[in-house]
Amino acid sequence: MAFQRKLVAGLISLLGIMLSSGLHAAADMNMRPGVTETSIAAYDLHMMVIWVMVWVSVAVFGAMIYSFIFHRKSKHPVPATFSHSTKVEFIWTIIPIIILIYLTIPAIKLLIKMEDASDSEMSVQVTGSQWKWHYKYLDQDISFYSNLSTPPEQYEDFDHQGTDKGENYLLEVDNMVVLPINTKIRFLVTADDVIHSWWVPEIAVKKDAIPGFINETWTNIPTPGIYRGQCTELCGKNHGFMPIVIKAVSKADFTAWVDTKNAEKKAAADAAAAAAAASWDMDKLMALGETTYKSTCAGCHGVTGEGIQGLFPALKGSPIATGPVAAHMGIVVHGPSSKKMPAFGAVLTDAQLAAVITYERNAWGNSTGDMVQPSDIQAFKAGN
Amino acid sequence: MSDHHPTGIKRWLFTTNHKDIGTMYLWFSFVMFLTGGAMAMVIRAELYQPGLQFVEPAFFNQMTTMHGLIMVFGAVMPSMVGLANWLIPMQIGAPDMALPRMNNWSFWILPFAFTMLLSSLFMEGGAPNFGWTFYAPLSTTYAPPSTDFFIFGVHMMGISSIMGAINVIVTVFNMRAPGMTLMKMPLFVWTWLITAFLLIMVMPVLAGAVTMMLTDRHFGTSFFDAAGGGDPVMFQHIFWFFGHPEVYIMILPAFGVVSEIIPAFSRKKLFGYSSMVYATASIALLSFIVWAHHMFATGMPVAGELFFMIATMLIAVPTGVKIFNWVATMWQGSLTFETPMLFSISFVILFTIGGFSGVMLAMAPVDFQYHDTYFVVAHFHYVLFPGAIFGTTAAVYFWLPKWTGKMYNETLGKIHFWMSMVFVNLTFFPMHFSGLAGMPRRIPDYNMMFAEFNMWASIGAFGLGLTQIFFLVTIIMAIRNGKKAEDKQWDGATGLEWDALPSPVPYHTFATPPKVD
Amino acid sequence: MPWLGGEGNNVMTHALLHPDFIPQWPLTTTPDGTTTEGMSAWGLPAINTAILLTSSWTLTIAHHALKENNRNALLNYTSITALLGIIFLVLQAVEYHHAYGEMGLTLGSGVYGSTFFMLTGFHGFHVTLGTIFLIVLSIRCSKGHFTDKHHFAFEAGAWYWHFVDVVWLFLFIFVYLV
Ligand code: HEA
Ligand code: HEA
Ligand code: CUA
Ligand SMILES: [Cu+2]
C-alpha cells in the first residue's frame, strides 16, 4: 500500500505543477473574451457552462468519493441489496433536462444573433487558397493577397540548433486586413481549391471557406487593435502556415488607408505597364523570377524545384519546364486542367509571370536558355 | 467431449472457434494500438517545442491521419469485436458464434486491410494526409495517389465490421440458452447487440462515401465538386452520418464492460438494469440525428444548427442515467479496488469529463470558438482513451483469469493503473488549455504562447507510451507464469462464464446449453 | 444543388460565384458550363420497368408452381424470368450507349450524370447478379434440386429478385420521372 500512497502523492504534486505552470500562463489558460459583443457573449456562455459542469462534477464525483471512503469493504462489509428505484431514476432524468434547458436558451439567442449578417455596412470577400488568403473589399474596390511573413529560417529547425522566433511567430502576414471600427462588416467566405476555415478568436468568427460556395458571417469591432487568427480546417501541407491578421482602425484612418491603397494600385498598374512594355535582359528576369518563385511557387514545388513526388511535380527537368514555351505559359497563366494548381494569370503581373517562367526554364540545371518577355505573356493572353 | 483442437499455424488460419478468433482480434488490435501510438509519439515529438524539428509538415499530416484511422478502425473497433467473440457465447450459454466460418473471414480480412493502409506510407506522395475525416476535395482532387489503397482498405474493414455485426445479432437472437430471456442478458451483450445494429446501419454509408470519392477521383463524377453541381459539404454530411454513430460504436461496448465490473467489485447488483438497456438504446437512436454538430462552421442554415445543437445536448440525458446508475451501484456496496475496478472507476470519472466537454462543444455559438482546436482533441481523447481504451483494459484484467486460467500480478496491475491515470491526464488535460488559448488542430508548428501546454502534453504522451509497454509485459508475464486462477476468481462476479465454466475455459463450452432460471 | 442557385442562406453564393447558373433537375448545364440532356422516362426506361414488373410476376408464378410441385411450369417460368433479366440488361446497355454517344450524358457531365450512372449502374450490377442467380436456379430446377418443402435457395433468389425489382421502381420514379 505504501507505494500506492506515494503514487497518489506523486499524482497530486504533478497536477500541482501543471496547475501552477498553467497559472504562470494564466492569461492563456482560458478562452479569450475577445473584443466584440458576440465574442464576449460567447465567452460568457462558455464560463456559464463551465460552472454548471463544475457543479455537476462536484455532485457526481462527490457521491462517488463518499462511496469509496465509507462503502469500502473494510468499512461496509455487507452490501445493501437495492437495485432500482423508479423515483430517483425519474429525478435524475429530469434534473439534467432542466440543466440543459437552462443552457440552451441563451445559446439559441446568441446563435440566432451570430448568424444574422443583415444590415451590414460593408462587405469583404475572403477567399482561401493553398496557402494564403485573398481579400476583396467589395465596396472599396480593393483586393490583395495576404501571406505568412514569418521567414522559413525561423521555423525550420531540423538540425536542432534552435532558432530565434519573433513575438508573432507564425501569426504575422505581409498584408493585414484593415477594417474600420464600429461598423457592421460582412465577410463573404469562400475558397479556390480545398476547404479552409477563417477564424479570428478575438472576434469569435469562424467560418468554413468552401470552394464553390459563399458563407456569410459578420463582425462589428468596437476597439482598434490587431487581432490574430489562423486557418482552422486541414487544407494540405501548409495548413499550419496560413495566419489571419486583422487591423482595426478608426473610420478616418480606414478612409485614409483606402486612399493609399488605391493610389498604390494605380502606381502598381502603371509600373506594371511600363515593365511590360520594356524589354528585359536575362539577369533581370532571373532575379525577379527567383524572388517571385520563392514567394509564390516554392511552397509547393520546393525551393530547389524538386517538388514532392506524387503530390507536386518536380519542375527540375520537367518536360513542361523544358519543352515548348507555350505549354509552360499555359499552365502557369491558366492553371492545369486538373485544377490542382491555381491559375496565376491574374495573380502575378505580366513581368512577374515572364520572369518566373524564365527562371523555371533556366534554374536548377533546366538550361533551355529561353527568355520570356512580358510582351510575350501579353501576346499569349491576348491570343487566348 | 474432449478438449481437442488442431495445433500449429492451421489452428489460427482456419479456426472457427470463437475463443481463438477473439484472441486473434485482441492481439491484432493491440499491435495496431502500438502502431497508432508510435505515430502519436511522432506527433508529440514534433509538437514538443515550437519550430519544425523532426518531420516535414507533409509527413506530419500523414501521421495525424494514420494515427486517427489506425486507432479508430484498427485498435478500438477490433478490440471490441474481440471481446464480443470471447464473451457473448459464454455469457448467453452458446457453444460458439452462430456463423463461425464467417467469423474467421471477418477477422482475416483485417490484416490485409491494414497492410494495404500501412503500405501507403511507402508510396509515392506518401500516405493519406487529409485527416481521418477525409473531407473532400482535399481527399479527392488534391489527394496523393495512395488514396485508392486507403479507399479499398476502408471497404475491406467495412465488410469485416458488417460481418462481425451480423454474427453478433444472429448469435444473440438465436443461440441463447433456454431461460436466457433478452432482459436477463448481461449488459455487455445488450450493449454489443445495439452496437451491432449501429454498425449495420452506418458502415454501408461509409462505404458509399468512399465509393463516391473513388468515382470522383477517377471516373469524372462530380458528387463533391461545385463546378459540376455537386457539393463538398455533402461529403461531410455523409461522413458524419457514419462518423457520429461510429463514436458510440466505440464506446457502447465499453459501457457494457464497466456495467459488468462495477457490480462485481461492489458486491451488489447493477442498479437500474432495465433503465441501462433503455438508455443505451436511446443513445443509439439519438446518435442518428446529431451528426451535423461536427459541421457548425460549414454555414448550415440557422434552423439546422439549432436542431443539431438541441438533439446533441439531449444525449447527455441517457448518458447521465448510465453514469448515475453506476454511482448508485457503488453506493452502499462493499467496495474493493482491484485493477479492473480501478480502471472502471476512472473510466466513469474521466469519461464524464470528456462528456462534459462534449456538451460544451454541442453549444453551437461557443463551438465556433472550440471547433477544430485542441479543445476538440482533448474532448475526444478523454472519451476515447480513458473511455474505450480503459474499458478494454479493464475487461482484459477482469476476464484474463477466465480466458487463460492465470492471474496477473496485482501489484503490477496497480502500477499500470496509476501510471495510466497520471499520464493520461498529463497528456490530454493541457490540450483543453491550448485549445481554449486558440491552437488549431492538425498543425505541425505553433506560436510560443501554446508552448508550455504542448510540452506537458508531450511529456505525458511519452510516459503514456512507456505505460503501454509496461502493460504488455504485465500481460505476458501473467500468461507465462501467473498464479493459477480460480473458477470464480472474483467473489462478486456473476454470470454464466463465472458460475458455469471452469478457469481456463475449455476450448469447447456449452455443448449442451445450460439452464438459466 | 439548389444552394448553388442561391437557396437558403446562399444568396451570395449565387450572386458572386455562379450568376448564370440555373438550378434545375435534371441539371443540364453545370456551373462550369458542361452541358448535357436529361434522360427521358418514356422510352427504354418505361419498357424496362414493364419488363422488371413482368419478371417479378413470372417468378411468383414459378414459385407457386414449385409449391404445387408443377415441374414444367416451374422450369419454364424461372427461365423466362432469367431471360427477362437478360433483356433488361441489354436494353440498359443500349440506353447507356445512346447516352454516351448521342446525348453527351456521361459520368463526367456534372452531378446529374454522376447520380444517373451511379444509381442505375449499381442497380444494373445487382440485376446482373440476380440474373446469374436465376440462371443457376433454372439449371437446378431442371435437375430437380428443389421440392415443394425444400427450396430455400429458390426462395432466397426470389427475394433477391423482388428486392432488385422494388429498388428499380424507386429509381424509375426518382431518377427518370422527377
Ligand atoms: C467514444 C467517442 C465519443 C463519445 C462517447 C462522444 C460523446 C459526445 N460528443 Fe464527441 N467526439 C468524438 C468522440 C466521442 N464523442 C470524436 C472522435 C470527435 C472529433 C471528431 C473529429 O473531428 O476528428 C468528437 C467531436 C465532437 C463534437 C464536434 C466538435 C467540433 O469539431 O467542433 C461535438 C459537438 O457537439 C461532440 C459532442 C459530444 C457529446 C455531446 C457527447 C455526449 O455523448 C456526451 C454525453 C456525456 C455526458 C454529458 C457526461 C455524463 C452525463 C452526466 C453526468 C449527466 C449530467 C450532465 C449534464 C446535465 C450536462 N463531440
Ligand atoms: C482510440 C483512439 C485514439 C487513441 C487511443 C489515441 C491516443 C493518443 N493520441 Fe490521438 N487521435 C485520435 C484517436 C486516438 N488517439 C483521433 C481519431 C485523432 C484525430 C486525427 C485527425 O485529426 O484526423 C487523434 C489525433 C491526435 C492528436 C492531434 C494531432 C493533430 O491534430 O495534428 C494528438 C496530438 O497530440 C494525439 C495524441 C495522442 C496520444 C499522445 C495518444 C496516446 O494515448 C498514445 C499512447 C501511446 C502508445 C500506445 C504507444 C506505445 C508504443 C510505443 C512507445 C512504441 C513502440 C513501438 C512500436 C511497437 C513500433 N492524437
Ligand atoms: Cu487553409 Cu488550413
Ligand atoms: Cu459526434
Side-chain angles (χ1 to χ4, degrees):
Chain A
M1 266 345 217
F3 82 91
Q4 238 186 18
R5 220 164 294 133
K6 267 187 215 147
L7 267 168
V8 178
L11 167 73
I12 291 171
S13 54
L14 254 173
L15 274 176
I17 297 174
M18 257 170 66
L19 273 181
S20 63
S21 80
L23 286 177
H24 269 290
D28 296 330
M29 278 249 294
N30 200 351
M31 183 188 280
R32 277 168 285 169
V35 293
T36 62
E37 202 189 325
T38 43
S39 77
I40 291 170
Y43 173 81
D44 289 343
L45 197 53
H46 159 78
M47 288 318 288
M48 174 176 157
V49 205
I50 287 206
W51 284 115
V52 169
M53 298 303 160
V54 167
W55 291 121
V56 181
S57 306
V58 168
V60 177
F61 302 156
M64 282 176 82
I65 292 169
Y66 185 87
S67 284
F68 300 160
I69 297 173
F70 294 104
H71 303 147
R72 52 170 58 229
K73 199 176 174 193
S74 49
K75 284 252 169 76
H76 194 257
V78 184
T81 52
F82 63 86
S83 74
H84 78 267
S85 152
T86 315
K87 200 166 77 196
V88 277
E89 290 179 55
F90 181 74
I91 293 175
W92 69 44
T93 315
I94 292 302
I95 291 182
I97 294 183
I98 296 173
I99 297 178
L100 291 177
I101 294 176
Y102 169 70
L103 290 174
T104 317
I105 290 172
I108 294 178
K109 283 194 193 137
L110 179 57
L111 182 68
I112 291 178
K113 181 161 175 205
M114 285 172 106
E115 293 290 2
D116 178 12
S118 58
D119 299 327
S120 60
E121 296 156 66
M122 65 179 266
S123 301
V124 180
Q125 184 177 351
V126 180
T127 310
S129 65
Q130 286 179 329
W131 290 281
K132 53 185 177 285
W133 293 100
H134 180 258
Y135 299 95
K136 186 168 166 191
Y137 291 65
L138 295 182
D139 309 288
Q140 282 78 17
D141 195 25
I142 297 174
S143 67
F144 55 85
Y145 281 91
S146 175
N147 289 289
L148 172 73
S149 64
T150 307
E153 300 84 78
Q154 284 193 21
Y155 52 82
E156 283 180 359
D157 186 20
F158 296 110
D159 50 6
H160 308 282
Q161 299 301 307
T163 58
D164 289 331
K165 300 179 172 59
E167 186 196 347
N168 297 314
Y169 176 66
L170 297 183
L171 295 177
E172 51 200 350
V173 295
D174 50 4
N175 293 312
M176 295 188 196
V177 198
V178 177
L179 296 173
I181 56 170
N182 295 324
T183 311
K184 184 162 180 180
I185 302 156
R186 179 172 66 155
F187 299 106
L188 303 169
V189 187
T190 182
D192 278 340
D193 35 41
V194 300
I195 302 180
H196 304 262
S197 189
W198 198 77
W199 181 37
V200 181
E202 242 111 12
I203 60 173
V205 168
K206 180 182 284 153
K207 224 15 147 201
D208 285 358
I210 297 163
F213 291 82
I214 286 188
N215 278 328
E216 295 184 31
T217 181
W218 64 274
T219 191
N220 189 344
I221 308 172
T223 28
I226 291 182
Y227 308 111
R228 295 169 199 277
Q230 272 173 282
C231 175
T232 43
E233 182 62 63
L234 179 59
C235 52
K237 180 166 138 301
N238 288 346
H239 157 61
F241 303 87
M242 55 184 289
I244 297 152
V245 184
I246 290 183
K247 182 174 177 187
V249 297
S250 70
K251 283 186 182 174
D253 288 351
F254 179 71
T255 326
W257 175 79
V258 170
D259 291 342
T260 37
K261 267 285 172 193
N262 274 326
E264 263 174 38
K265 193 167 77 178
K266 239 170 107 227
D270 292 347
S279 174
W280 294 46
D281 67 22
M282 192 66 166
D283 291 343
K284 233 176 120 191
L285 280 172
M286 287 298 277
L288 178 63
E290 184 168 357
T291 37
T292 313
Y293 181 83
K294 286 204 170 132
S295 64
T296 317
C297 323
C300 295
H301 295 289
V303 183
T304 54
E306 273 159 358
I308 300 181
Q309 263 205 342
L311 287 178
F312 306 115
L315 299 179
K316 183 176 171 178
S318 119
I320 292 191
T322 54
V325 182
H328 193 169
M329 288 202 278
I331 272 200
V332 179
V333 173
H334 301 299
S337 58
S338 70
K339 295 187 201 154
K340 287 189 194 178
M341 167 175 136
F344 287 98
V347 177
L348 301 175
T349 63
D350 290 347
Q352 283 175 316
L353 286 168
V356 80
I357 292 173
T358 309
Y359 178 73
E360 282 175 357
R361 301 183 73 79
N362 295 289
W364 329 294
N366 285 0
S367 32
T368 56
D370 295 339
M371 270 210 291
V372 180
Q373 292 294 342
S375 52
D376 296 338
I377 300 282
Q378 280 175 328
F380 179 80
K381 280 183 178 171
N384 278 268
Chain B
M1 222 183 91
S2 75
D3 202 28
H4 172 79
H5 56 75
T7 47
I9 178 85
K10 282 197 179 157
R11 162 175 176 188
W12 301 104
L13 268 181
F14 300 120
T15 184
T16 53
N17 181 290
H18 73 102
K19 302 187 182 82
D20 283 354
I21 295 178
T23 307
M24 289 195 295
Y25 261 115
L26 289 174
W27 278 112
F28 176 79
S29 86
F30 196 74
V31 171
M32 283 296 125
F33 178 56
L34 289 186
T35 317
M39 292 169 179
M41 298 296 110
V42 176
I43 298 177
R44 284 317 327 170
E46 181 56 60
L47 292 178
Y48 180 65
Q49 282 180 342
L52 296 174
Q53 288 88 11
F54 300 102
V55 295
E56 295 282 348
F59 188 69
F60 183 91
N61 289 346
Q62 297 170 29
M63 285 291 108
T64 300
T65 308
M66 295 296 267
H67 164 70
L69 287 170
I70 287 189
M71 284 300 194
V72 168
F73 294 103
V76 177
M77 290 174 71
S79 74
M80 297 301 175
V81 186
L83 293 178
N85 261 297
W86 257 105
L87 296 174
I88 290 180
M90 296 195 325
Q91 290 190 327
I92 62 172
D96 202 314
M97 296 296 276
L99 307 164
R101 270 174 285 186
M102 189 164 92
N103 206 7
N104 172 292
W105 266 92
S106 40
F107 173 75
W108 277 109
I109 286 179
L110 284 181
F112 292 99
F114 282 91
T115 312
M116 199 139 92
L117 187 61
L118 283 168
S119 68
S120 64
L121 276 169
F122 307 101
M123 290 176 193
E124 212 178 73
N129 55 8
F130 28 65
W132 86 283
T133 50
F134 48 102
Y135 284 2
L138 189 59
S139 62
T140 54
T141 318
Y142 298 86
S146 64
T147 308
D148 301 329
F149 288 82
F150 154 83
I151 291 175
F152 289 123
V154 171
H155 273 138
M156 280 161 67
M157 294 164 212
I159 293 172
S160 159
S161 298
I162 292 179
M163 297 203 302
I166 292 178
N167 222 336
V168 168
I169 294 179
V170 179
T171 308
V172 173
F173 280 137
N174 297 304
M175 311 263 297
R176 275 172 288 130
M180 176 65 78
T181 58
L182 284 176
M183 287 313 270
K184 273 192 191 149
M185 294 194 311
L187 240 122
F188 178 75
V189 182
W190 257 115
T191 50
W192 237 111
L193 180 64
I194 292 168
T195 306
F197 276 107
L198 285 182
L199 276 168
I200 290 189
M201 298 282 288
V202 300
M203 291 315 281
V205 178
L206 176 67
V210 290
T211 308
M212 285 191 252
M213 261 172 72
L214 187 72
T215 60
D216 264 16
R217 282 168 58 75
H218 295 296
F219 306 116
T221 57
S222 32
F223 292 109
F224 308 131
D225 181 3
D231 185 348
V233 179
M234 186 176 77
F235 174 87
Q236 299 183 20
H237 282 292
I238 300 173
F239 178 83
W240 288 116
F241 186 80
F242 147 81
H244 187 82
E246 165 72 16
V247 307
Y248 294 107
I249 289 169
M250 293 192 274
I251 203 68
L252 292 184
F255 284 171
V257 166
V258 173
S259 306
E260 304 284 308
I261 294 177
I262 289 186
F265 294 98
S266 305
R267 294 168 182 77
K268 186 157 159 280
K269 253 180 92 181
L270 180 69
F271 187 89
Y273 173 89
S274 47
S275 67
M276 281 301 220
V277 173
Y278 299 134
T280 314
S282 334
I283 294 175
L285 286 178
L286 281 173
S287 76
F288 286 110
I289 54 162
V290 301
W291 76 88
H293 63 214
H294 298 270
M295 302 166 53
F296 285 137
T298 54
M300 266 187 293
V302 197
E305 290 178 334
L306 285 176
F307 172 81
F308 285 108
M309 170 171 96
I310 293 168
T312 305
M313 293 178 69
L314 267 182
I315 293 195
V317 176
T319 318
V321 168
K322 301 194 76 111
I323 306 276
F324 299 138
N325 280 342
W326 289 320
V327 177
T329 305
M330 289 187 268
W331 191 255
Q332 299 211 344
S334 184
L335 306 175
T336 49
F337 301 94
E338 284 85 348
T339 312
M341 181 64 163
L342 288 174
F343 273 105
S344 302
I345 290 173
S346 57
F347 172 99
V348 177
I349 297 180
L350 300 182
F351 175 83
T352 304
I353 295 179
F356 286 159
S357 56
V359 173
M360 298 171 72
L361 292 167
M363 314 240 302
V366 210
D367 182 61
F368 295 139
Q369 294 288 57
Y370 306 137
H371 175 66
D372 264 340
T373 67
Y374 263 77
F375 193 80
V376 179
V377 179
H379 156 66
F380 67 73
H381 282 98
Y382 260 83
V383 281
L384 280 167
F385 202 105
I389 303 284
F390 274 20
T392 318
T393 315
V396 169
Y397 280 114
F398 187 64
W399 279 289
L400 193 76
K402 184 48 69 181
W403 297 339
T404 62
K406 303 281 181 55
M407 256 307 271
Y408 62 91
N409 178 322
E410 194 62 58
T411 313
L412 293 185
K414 288 213 166 102
I415 297 181
H416 172 213
F417 168 74
W418 284 109
M419 282 171 63
S420 304
M421 185 71 182
V422 171
F423 287 126
V424 145
N425 286 296
L426 186 58
T427 311
F428 298 119
F429 211 78
M431 292 187 188
H432 289 114
F433 300 137
S434 46
L436 290 176
M439 177 168 165
R441 56 194 283 214
R442 297 163 168 171
I443 58 173
D445 195 5
Y446 49 83
N447 184 273
M448 278 81 68
M449 66 178 155
F450 314 122
E452 205 156 352
F453 303 128
N454 275 288
M455 188 185 75
W456 286 113
S458 289
I459 294 174
F462 301 139
L464 197 54
L466 285 182
T467 310
Q468 306 316 319
I469 310 241
F470 186 81
F471 178 41
L472 180 68
V473 174
T474 310
I475 295 300
I476 290 182
M477 275 171 55
I479 298 175
R480 281 271 182 93
N481 37 26
K483 274 206 312 277
K484 188 163 172 5
E486 287 154 44
D487 288 354
K488 184 161 175 154
Q489 179 64 37
W490 316 110
D491 58 334
T494 51
L496 285 176
E497 79 271 32
W498 299 107
D499 295 327
L501 293 174
S503 297
V505 259
Y507 197 63
H508 298 288
T509 46
F510 296 133
T512 43
K515 275 246 176 339
V516 182
D517 41 54
Chain C
M1 209 223 8
W3 288 359
L4 287 170
E7 201 117 312
N9 53 356
N10 280 278
V11 187
M12 293 312 284
T13 301
H14 188 235
L16 287 181
L17 296 180
H18 321 285
D20 305 325
F21 176 70
I22 308 157
Q24 55 175 10
W25 196 256
L27 178 65
T28 45
T29 308
T30 65
D32 69 355
T34 312
T35 56
T36 181
E37 282 176 50
M39 181 64 78
S40 148
W42 303 116
L44 288 178
I47 301 177
N48 262 345
T49 310
I51 290 178
L52 275 196
L53 285 178
T54 322
S55 77
S56 258
W57 178 58
T58 52
L59 192 61
T60 310
I61 299 183
H63 197 176
H64 280 291
L66 175 56
K67 284 196 186 143
E68 285 151 22
N69 252 331
N70 183 346
R71 307 228 136 255
N72 260 342
L74 167 67
L75 183 57
N76 288 344
Y77 279 102
T78 313
S79 324
I80 291 178
T81 315
L83 194 68
L84 287 173
I86 294 173
I87 297 178
F88 176 91
L89 288 172
V90 171
L91 289 184
Q92 197 171 30
V94 173
E95 182 192 22
Y96 278 15
H97 185 78
H98 174 67
Y100 262 82
E102 283 138 53
M103 294 168 60
L105 175 61
T106 69
L107 269 172
S109 52
V111 265
Y112 175 62
S114 309
T115 19
F116 177 82
F117 284 106
M118 285 286 269
L119 291 175
T120 56
F122 269 98
H123 178 261
F125 172 69
H126 286 86
V127 175
T128 315
L129 278 184
T131 309
I132 295 173
F133 286 168
L134 286 172
I135 294 174
V136 173
L137 286 178
S138 311
I139 297 171
R140 289 186 64 185
C141 288
S142 72
K143 292 203 174 148
H145 279 184
F146 304 121
T147 69
D148 53 348
K149 298 265 149 52
H150 217 83
H151 54 260
F152 179 72
F154 187 91
E155 262 196 38
W159 281 345
Y160 186 78
W161 192 254
H162 291 311
F163 153 74
V164 169
D165 191 22
V166 171
V167 172
W168 175 261
L169 285 183
F170 281 108
L171 288 190
F172 184 65
I173 296 171
F174 289 110
V175 175
Y176 293 98
L177 286 181
V178 181

